[in-house]
Amino acid sequence: PNKPSVVISNGIDTKEFKPQDPGDFLKRQGLLRDKLNLVYVGRLYPEKSIDTLVRAIPNVVKIHPNTQVIIVGSGYLLEKLKKLTETVGMKNYIKFLGLVSNEDLVRTFNIADIFISPSLAELEGMTVLEAMACGKPIITTNAKMNAARFFVSDNGFLFEQKNAMALSEKINILLSDEKLRTQMSVVSLKKSKQYDIHQSVAKLENLYYSLIK
């Protein structure tokens, strides 16, 4: 505890993750056009709390019926989450894409109107950074074990972990205000620049050289 410490981000490649035209991604994935897209990317594991997102959607589509949720990732909870989607009557609104290519991963971020991470625990939250680098508003939890919460200030909202109603309220605020989404997108893009992987490498090199000296 008395030793000096330095925190350095894992870093993201902002030359790869950036705003771009998603092309025919929606069509290829069988997704509807002209929808408000809520996107989650990550493992389908308990600590990601994806069921909270699923449970939030009924309250979202009551106000914004032109919404679709796109979930990218794999994990042993897939079938359970699909069943939950049917149970809450959201089968037509929530789409599970499984794993996608690296190129389509970037396109996935770019079709998002809002990127949502309901996670209970993140060591850093790389998908949040990647979404920010693509210029997207962020909604994530205020969970103590969620380090990604520190990326969110003027570029999105925090909500109480496992609270589906609180999540739906944040989503509805953003979906109702295109101007606010645009403002948050600009902030996300700007904030992401400080987490470029080349900066992380430079910081690591500087740290190593300082120790050698």
Side-chain angles (χ1 to χ4, degrees), residues 57-172:
I57 302 308
N59 197 47
V60 172
V61 299
K62 286 179 183 178
I63 301 174
H64 301 282
N66 62 328
T67 300
Q68 66 183 351
V69 182
I70 299 158
I71 296 177
V72 170
S74 65
Y76 71 88
L77 289 181
L78 175 59
E79 294 305 317
K80 185 175 181 179
L81 289 169
K82 285 183 175 179
K83 185 175 181 180
L84 175 61
T85 297
E86 294 181 2
T87 300
V88 298
M90 292 293 107
K91 184 178 180 179
N92 293 332
Y93 295 91
I94 302 176
K95 307 298 180 183
F96 294 87
L97 302 189
L99 296 174
V100 299
S101 66
N102 289 339
E103 293 80 9
D104 276 349
L105 180 60
V106 179
R107 296 183 183 108
T108 301
F109 287 117
N110 273 283
I111 64 170
D113 291 284
I114 306 170
F115 182 79
I116 301 173
S117 174
S119 185
L120 306 178
E122 294 288 347
L123 295 178
E124 181 169 13
M126 300 305 294
T127 59
V128 170
L129 283 177
E130 290 164 352
M132 288 168 57
C134 292
K136 301 302 173 181
I138 306 296
I139 299 179
T140 190
T141 68
N142 61 0
K144 290 183 178 180
M145 296 299 291
N146 178 22
R149 74 187 190 276
F150 295 111
F151 297 138
V152 180
S153 52
D154 296 334
N155 62 324
F157 294 127
L158 300 179
F159 72 96
E160 182 183 6
Q161 63 186 62
K162 295 186 178 181
N163 189 330
M165 183 59 68
L167 173 56
S168 68
E169 289 172 354
K170 300 300 185 184
I171 293 172
N172 283 330

Side-chain angles (χ1 to χ4, degrees), residues 137-138 151-157 180-181 183-188 191:
I138 306 296
F151 297 138
V152 180
S153 52
D154 296 334
N155 62 324
F157 294 127
L180 180 59
R181 294 201 307 273
Q183 291 173 349
M184 289 183 169
S185 295
V186 171
V187 176
S188 271
K191 286 170 67 75

